[in-house]
Amino acid sequence: MMMMMKQLVIVFLLIGASVAQNRRDTGPAPAGDPVPAQQYIPPPKNWLTLNGSEPVVIARGGSSGVFPESSSLAYIMAKSNCLSNAIMLCNLQFSKDGLGVCLSDVRLNNITTINGAFKDQQTTKNINGNNVRGWFSVDYTLEQLGQLYLVQNVYTRSEAFDNTQPIPTPDTIYDLFYSQHNISAAKYITEYLQKLISNVYYISSPEIGFLKTMDRKVDHNTTKLVFMVLEPNAVEPTTNQTYGSILKNLTAIKSFASGIVVPKSYIIPVNNKTRYLEPATTLVTDAHNAGLQVYASGFANDIYSSYNYNFEPEAEYLTFIDNSQFAVDGFITDFPTTATEAIDRPLIITHNGASGVYAGCTDLAYQQAVDDGADIIDCTVQMSKDGVAFCLESPDLIGKTTAATVFMSKATSVPEIQKERGIFSFDLTWTEIQSLKPQISSPFDKSNPPIIRNPEAKNKGKFVTLDGFLEFAKTKAVSGVLININNAAYLASKKGLGVVDAVTKALSNATFDKQSTQQVMIQSDDSSVLSKFQDVPAYKKVLHIRKEVSAAPREVVEEIKKYASAVTVTRTSVISTTESFTTNATNILRDLHSANISVYISALRNEYLSIAFDYLADPLIEVATFAQGVGVDGITTEFPATASKYFRSKCSDDVEKQDFRILPVVPGELLDVTDLKTRPNIIYHPALTVADIVRPPLPPVTPVSQSAPGSSGLVAPAPQGGVPTNVANIGLTLAAIMLFCLLSMGH
């Protein structure tokens, strides 16, 4: 049996309760009032766990990946580096005089210094039908065990901390084995729990008989019984059934337990030959439907699992909790700090890949994003004239490619898409687009002085089709992809191009609709586009709100929930700014979080001109403010390396005794000390309306005759009779040059 205690000692209990209380929401602010950042505490994220709360981190013997399991140092490190609700797991063994100790095994071999202290005292005992030889805790009194020290029992880990930590008390045993030695585990645990004060205790065992005994003894308001499932072919001693067969009747398990602990392979199997993931089972969903919580065991950073995770431990945790299908209720891990990092930070979402380093949406930008630690890579889907779906920020190729130097004759005006004239992807074939070079762009290249990005890589990289993007995402095993769909109605009705159909087909061909290991987000500013994907529950729908807003009234929130479970808003919709000063935190986060709608902000950039004065020209402080200060669920950025560095830095830890921390700013604090005479006026953004959300149904894809672009009359006319062809060509070239100059000047 395994007893998982909420905290190890009373002082930890008190600290944990205090921290948890401080993090609670103090109640909604009055409607329409801006919320100061220092007072706003975001409600918990709605997870796909049994009760919707965040998964718990269960530290197996503390930080046992570093220190010997269940040593004092292991527990101290786990408590200091994890969330306040982290659970300390103690495998309970018993001494000869019936007292509990925390040890990873009933045998003392390889986990203590027993061989040196009590040499030649090995015995053979029968444990669940198997003869096992070694030194056993039940053969020694607690005083004798006190002479021993713990050692690291995983040989690939450091021995530097061996022989320094004594054996602590208490956690895991096999009850039938101890009953044979006149020790009652049930009695010991019952009496032990009565001495402690805590909100919840967890007791786990692989023996049904023991759990049924405890079921009659414990207070179910404070104690949770959890059935530990061993390997499928192992035999449970009470029923003589295999654990694989017992799992087929989850309703029966619910009669004596509130949850199950299972090896992670029960949930997402790994192919033993290829070491790639297989499709997830329905165990978590089935268990949740039966009212059982599910805790996955077997997590360790230094035990390689699958190629899909690309040697990134956080990616493995995220696969089990952020996949649109289910979330386990907790992890049992040797490295609780890593599990905490996976749970307790916003997603890093790219904006056209690492577009601050390479031309956006190119193969190099996506590879850089993966290297930089992005969780979600994005593809804004454009369509070529001949129906090829590819990734590019805008359908206008000017500025993002070298199209202006080659295809100015195809420039036209499309007011349904943008005010400016452009050269649009849907007027060029894929072959023509491939003849171009990508071009890195900067939103500040016309500032004074201009700020340009990575000039050595200005035209490096290759354009990426949607199919190629999805294949890349699968190969690199990123946590997820975001597919952004714009202008679907125009493409369908005016160009005969079905972008929604193209995305649906590409995702299906790549089997993203049949898996749950990688998150798929479908984002659009058009509610009718999101409606087209409602039949695929594996996809997370994200509504993109482009206008600056400050609040979301209840009727608007209810409308959003019809189409999406997440929203992307501008960063100034969350923290309002005026003339480069932050002014206040708006109500938009509170309003959306209250309905369990995730909120992502877009888009962060590193250039100082993009950063409010309050952030001291430091993009890390801006990340800290949105992540810790107001609590967004995702950060969309053109520089994913910056966000990744912040979240991996110890300076981001919210620990009071940390020598240095990157602290979030308080919006409006710097503005308050400016001269009243020159202080800029605060701009208040409007609240969202239903009209901002709802779009008419998508029109059908209507085939159109293939005619030359430029119906607006911007294309130079054909040569008139009597005008030499070469003169006409010269005129056309001059016209193209003049038009290019006008576009470059912003006319």
Side-chain angles (χ1 to χ4, degrees):
M1 127 212 81
M2 182 177 295
M3 188 171 75
M4 297 182 288
M5 298 185 300
K6 190 76 172 180
Q7 313 288 351
L8 188 61
V9 292
I10 292 178
V11 65
F12 284 159
L13 287 172
L14 296 177
I15 292 175
S18 174
V19 172
Q21 185 175 9
N22 289 339
R23 292 179 64 187
R24 293 194 190 106
D25 194 354
T26 56
D33 293 344
V35 183
Q38 68 270 31
Q39 297 179 10
Y40 177 73
I41 301 176
K45 175 181 177 180
N46 186 38
W47 296 84
L48 294 176
T49 53
L50 177 64
N51 56 17
S53 60
E54 71 181 11
V56 295
V57 175
I58 304 170
R60 191 178 73 90
S63 292
S64 54
V66 179
F67 300 105
E69 182 178 339
S70 295
S71 63
S72 297
L73 286 177
Y75 285 124
I76 290 171
M77 182 178 186
K79 283 306 302 174
S80 63
N81 289 348
C82 295
L83 296 171
S84 60
N85 65 344
I87 296 171
M88 299 295 107
L89 185 150
C90 164
N91 281 317
L92 184 63
Q93 315 296 343
F94 283 97
S95 65
K96 186 176 182 178
D97 42 354
L99 299 175
V101 291
C102 295
L103 291 167
S104 60
D105 198 301
V106 67
R107 293 174 299 172
L108 303 176
N109 314 21
N110 304 323
I111 61 172
T112 71
T113 55
I114 185 72
N115 188 26
F118 299 98
K119 193 174 182 179
D120 300 328
Q121 292 189 17
Q122 297 185 70
T123 59
T124 301
K125 299 185 186 297
N126 186 278
I127 300 179
N128 293 341
N130 298 312
N131 289 326
V132 179
R133 184 166 178 79
W135 290 270
F136 297 85
S137 63
V138 292
D139 292 332
Y140 302 92
T141 65
L142 187 62
E143 182 179 359
Q144 290 175 310
L145 293 176
Q147 302 173 30
L148 307 179
Y149 291 91
L150 296 169
V151 299
Q152 179 60 260
N153 64 336
V154 178
Y155 297 129
T156 56
R157 295 172 181 170
S158 174
E159 300 176 354
F161 307 105
D162 289 0
N163 307 315
T164 64
Q165 301 291 302
I167 298 174
T169 60
D171 186 347
T172 281
I173 46 151
Y174 294 98
D175 191 50
L176 292 181
F177 169 72
Y178 283 113
S179 297
Q180 295 170 4
H181 292 79
N182 298 317
I183 297 173
S184 172
K187 180 180 179 182
Y188 176 87
I189 293 174
T190 303
E191 293 176 353
Y192 182 81
L193 292 182
Q194 291 174 351
K195 299 176 184 179
L196 297 180
I197 302 172
S198 182
N199 295 328
V200 180
Y201 301 96
Y202 297 77
I203 300 173
S204 178
S205 173
E207 295 183 14
I208 293 176
F210 171 77
L211 290 174
K212 288 184 175 180
T213 298
M214 294 302 300
D215 189 45
R216 299 188 295 268
K217 294 177 177 290
V218 300
D219 180 354
H220 291 282
N221 293 320
T222 59
T223 305
K224 292 186 177 183
L225 301 179
V226 182
F227 179 47
M228 175 177 285
V229 178
L230 303 183
E231 295 304 317
N233 294 327
V235 177
E236 193 280 321
T238 305
T239 62
N240 288 323
Q241 297 182 51
T242 64
Y243 287 95
S245 62
I246 293 173
L247 267 189
K248 295 178 181 178
N249 192 346
L250 294 169
T251 303
I253 297 175
K254 177 62 178 173
S255 67
F256 60 83
S258 64
I260 56 176
V261 171
V262 297
K264 59 186 180 182
S265 58
Y266 274 86
I267 301 170
I268 303 179
V270 178
N271 187 293
N272 290 330
K273 292 182 179 180
T274 66
R275 302 307 300 168
Y276 285 100
L277 296 178
E278 295 181 349
T281 69
T282 61
L283 176 60
V284 177
T285 302
D286 295 341
H288 284 171
N289 290 338
L292 289 166
Q293 291 183 310
V294 181
Y295 304 94
S297 65
F299 290 88
N301 295 3
D302 54 0
I303 298 177
Y304 187 62
S305 177
S306 168
Y307 291 118
N308 294 79
Y309 303 130
N310 206 28
F311 304 98
E312 176 54 64
E314 279 189 26
E316 181 174 22
Y317 291 106
L318 289 170
T319 301
F320 284 78
I321 61 176
D322 199 10
N323 56 51
S324 291
Q325 295 294 298
F326 64 83
V328 297
D329 299 276
F331 303 105
I332 297 179
T333 174
D334 293 8
F335 294 85
T337 302
T338 306
T340 300
E341 291 170 353
I343 293 172
D344 194 42
R345 72 162 175 81
L347 292 171
I348 301 174
I349 305 170
T350 66
H351 188 242
N352 309 311
S355 55
V357 182
Y358 289 104
C361 297
T362 59
D363 58 336
L364 295 180
Y366 289 129
Q367 181 61 59
Q368 188 68 47
V370 172
D371 294 342
D372 289 345
D375 300 310
I376 308 292
I377 58 174
D378 71 306
C379 170
T380 297
V381 182
Q382 309 301 339
M383 300 293 291
S384 68
K385 184 177 182 179
D386 48 349
V388 175
F390 68 101
C391 304
L392 198 66
E393 180 179 7
S394 168
D396 183 3
L397 303 177
I398 294 177
K400 309 298 181 185
T401 75
T402 55
T405 63
V406 183
F407 292 113
M408 283 305 299
S409 61
K410 295 192 176 186
T412 186
S413 178
V414 183
E416 295 93 333
I417 293 179
Q418 64 185 39
K419 296 178 180 179
E420 302 82 8
R421 294 161 292 188
I423 303 171
F424 294 95
S425 65
F426 43 74
D427 288 332
L428 275 69
T429 66
W430 178 238
T431 299
E432 290 174 317
I433 293 171
Q434 285 185 299
S435 70
L436 305 173
K437 292 181 179 180
Q439 186 164 292
I440 191 169
S441 61
S442 168
F444 310 107
D445 57 4
K446 291 181 175 59
S447 63
N448 187 19
I451 298 178
I452 59 176
R453 292 175 171 176
N454 197 7
E456 288 188 355
K458 179 179 180 180
N459 298 118
K460 289 184 178 180
K462 298 178 181 178
F463 299 113
V464 179
T465 64
L466 177 58
D467 291 337
F469 169 82
L470 296 175
E471 181 61 31
F472 173 84
K474 293 185 72 172
T475 302
K476 297 298 180 179
V478 294
S479 296
V481 296
L482 183 147
I483 308 300
N484 192 29
I485 303 175
N486 301 320
N487 308 312
Y490 175 83
L491 291 172
S493 62
K494 299 296 180 64
K495 295 296 177 179
L497 296 169
V499 63
V500 171
D501 295 336
V503 170
T504 301
K505 182 179 179 181
L507 287 169
S508 179
N509 289 343
T511 67
F512 273 96
D513 58 339
K514 303 177 182 67
Q515 56 86 52
S516 58
T517 57
Q518 290 178 287
Q519 174 78 70
V520 176
M521 298 181 180
I522 304 295
Q523 177 175 281
S524 181
D525 57 1
D526 191 333
S527 59
S528 61
V529 169
L530 299 180
S531 297
K532 294 292 186 179
F533 295 92
Q534 293 292 359
D535 294 336
V536 187
Y539 299 163
K540 184 169 188 174
K541 273 68 73 177
V542 183
L543 181 65
H544 191 183
I545 299 172
R546 299 180 183 277
K547 65 181 289 187
E548 292 181 306
V549 295
S550 62
R554 182 175 298 275
E555 64 272 16
V556 176
V557 171
E558 292 303 316
E559 194 66 34
I560 292 174
K561 291 175 67 176
K562 296 178 182 178
Y563 308 103
S565 60
V567 166
T568 295
V569 296
T570 65
R571 56 183 176 168
T572 52
S573 292
V574 175
I575 297 180
S576 184
T577 62
T578 181
E579 295 187 21
S580 295
F581 287 97
T582 66
T583 58
N584 62 277
T586 70
N587 292 333
I588 192 72
L589 267 176
R590 182 203 65 187
D591 295 343
L592 295 172
H593 276 168
S594 66
N596 292 320
I597 296 174
S598 300
V599 179
Y600 310 138
I601 57 162
S602 181
L604 298 193
R605 301 181 175 100
N606 283 5
E607 291 91 348
Y608 75 92
L609 288 179
S610 175
I611 301 172
F613 293 143
D614 308 61
Y615 304 131
L616 311 180
D618 187 342
L620 289 177
I621 297 178
E622 184 177 31
V623 172
T625 301
F626 282 105
Q628 289 189 3
V630 294
V632 298
D633 303 292
I635 291 174
T636 304
T637 173
E638 296 177 357
F639 295 88
T642 302
S644 182
K645 287 175 184 175
Y646 169 74
F647 292 124
R648 293 176 184 276
S649 170
K650 284 295 181 183
C651 297
S652 68
D653 290 348
D654 189 17
V655 180
E656 291 185 3
K657 294 183 180 180
Q658 191 90 354
D659 291 337
F660 175 77
R661 287 182 292 159
I662 302 173
L663 295 174
V665 305
V666 177
E669 195 170 58
L670 191 60
L671 184 65
D672 287 342
V673 297
T674 58
D675 188 344
L676 284 173
K677 296 179 181 178
T678 59
R679 183 175 301 174
N681 294 324
I682 296 177
I683 301 173
Y684 292 98
H685 303 307
L688 269 174
T689 66
V690 173
D692 295 324
I693 305 302
V694 181
R695 297 286 186 274
L698 284 180
V701 177
T702 304
V704 294
S705 59
Q706 298 296 334
S707 57
S711 57
S712 60
L714 294 178
V715 178
Q720 299 297 317
V723 181
T725 302
N726 61 333
V727 175
N729 288 339
I730 293 171
L732 181 60
T733 303
L734 291 174
I737 293 172
M738 293 175 63
L739 183 56
F740 173 57
C741 293
L742 289 172
L743 289 170
S744 300
M745 296 172 61
H747 292 287

